[in-house]
Amino acid sequence: MQPSWQSPRELEWANHDLAKAQRHLAEASFFAQRGSSPEAARLLELSRQSLAEAQNALQRANVFAVREQAKAAENLAKAAKALYEAELGFGSRPGRSFFEAPLRAQESLSRLQAEMAFANITAGPVAELQQQAQELLSRVNTDPGSYTFADYSRSKAAHHSARAALHLLAAERLSGLGSLGSL
C-alpha cells in the first residue's frame, strides 16, 4: 500500500538506490574474499545490516528512509572496499582527488561530529563509524612526499564511513523507529 504522497518516481529512486547499494556490496564482498581486514569486515557487516533496514523500510512504504539506508549501505560498502584495496595494494588509478582525499574525509568527519552533537548521539553505530573514521584519518600520512596509495585508501574509507553515518542519522530522523540502536 502506497501513501498518497509517494509518487512512482520516488519509488523508482528508492529502488535505484537499493540496486546501487547491492552492487557496491557485491564488489566489496568480492574484495573480502581476498583480504582479511577486520575493520573492512565490520563495515561490510554494517552495510548488509543497513541494506536489510532499507528493504524493511521499503516494505513499510517509507521511500525516504529507504533511500537514506541504501545510501548508508552503499557508503559502508565503498569504505570496506577502500580498506581492502589498501590491504591488497591495488585499486583504481587515483586522479586529482588523490591528495585531496584527507581533506574531504576531514570535512565529512567534521560535519558528522556537528550533527552528532546536535542530535546528542554518543553511542551506537553512528558513534562507532565516527570513531572509525577518526582512527583511519589518524593513520594517514599527509606529507606529499611520503603519501601513499594506502593513505589515499584510508582517507577514502574515512570519508565514506562518515558519509554513511550521516545517512544513518537521516534515516533515523525519517523513520523514527529507533533503527540506530538495532544496527
Side-chain angles (χ1 to χ4, degrees), residues 110-145:
S110 295
R111 177 164 178 221
L112 172 60
Q113 290 168 333
E115 294 267 349
M116 286 176 65
F118 179 77
N120 197 26
I121 293 177
T122 58
V126 171
E128 179 186 348
L129 290 171
Q130 182 261 338
Q131 290 171 349
Q132 185 166 17
Q134 269 185 316
E135 208 275 357
L136 286 167
L137 271 179
S138 72
R139 295 185 354 225
V140 171
N141 182 359
T142 57
D143 176 36

Side-chain angles (χ1 to χ4, degrees), residues 54-66:
Q55 291 165 339
N56 289 338
L58 187 61
Q59 291 176 351
R60 293 188 309 268
N62 187 345
V63 294
F64 299 111
V66 170

Side-chain angles (χ1 to χ4, degrees), residues 5-156:
W5 51 263
Q6 183 176 314
S7 73
R9 183 71 175 154
E10 290 166 343
L11 189 59
E12 181 182 328
W13 286 337
N15 283 321
H16 172 77
D17 288 338
L18 274 172
K20 196 171 170 185
Q22 289 169 338
R23 180 176 51 90
H24 284 285
L25 184 57
E27 287 175 6
S29 296
F30 174 78
F31 279 90
Q33 295 171 358
R34 286 146 184 79
S36 62
S37 168
E39 294 169 319
R42 176 66 179 145
L43 290 170
L44 213 50
E45 177 187 334
L46 288 173
S47 179
R48 287 185 184 103
Q49 290 173 358
S50 187
L51 189 58
E53 286 290 326
Q55 291 165 339
N56 289 338
L58 187 61
Q59 291 176 351
R60 293 188 309 268
N62 187 345
V63 294
F64 299 111
V66 170
R67 294 194 71 197
E68 293 299 331
Q69 285 285 358
K71 289 175 185 179
E74 175 188 346
N75 275 286
L76 288 164
K78 285 179 176 180
K81 181 182 171 195
L83 288 177
Y84 284 127
E85 287 175 345
E87 177 187 355
L88 299 171
F90 65 93
S92 59
R93 183 174 153 251
R96 188 178 78 160
S97 65
F98 183 74
F99 289 106
E100 295 174 358
L103 175 63
R104 299 291 170 242
Q106 186 58 54
E107 288 172 347
S108 296
L109 183 59
S110 295
R111 177 164 178 221
L112 172 60
Q113 290 168 333
E115 294 267 349
M116 286 176 65
F118 179 77
N120 197 26
I121 293 177
T122 58
V126 171
E128 179 186 348
L129 290 171
Q130 182 261 338
Q131 290 171 349
Q132 185 166 17
Q134 269 185 316
E135 208 275 357
L136 286 167
L137 271 179
S138 72
R139 295 185 354 225
V140 171
N141 182 359
T142 57
D143 176 36
S146 56
Y147 185 74
T148 65
F149 181 78
D151 292 320
Y152 170 67
S153 295
R154 280 191 290 273
S155 296
K156 280 187 359 182

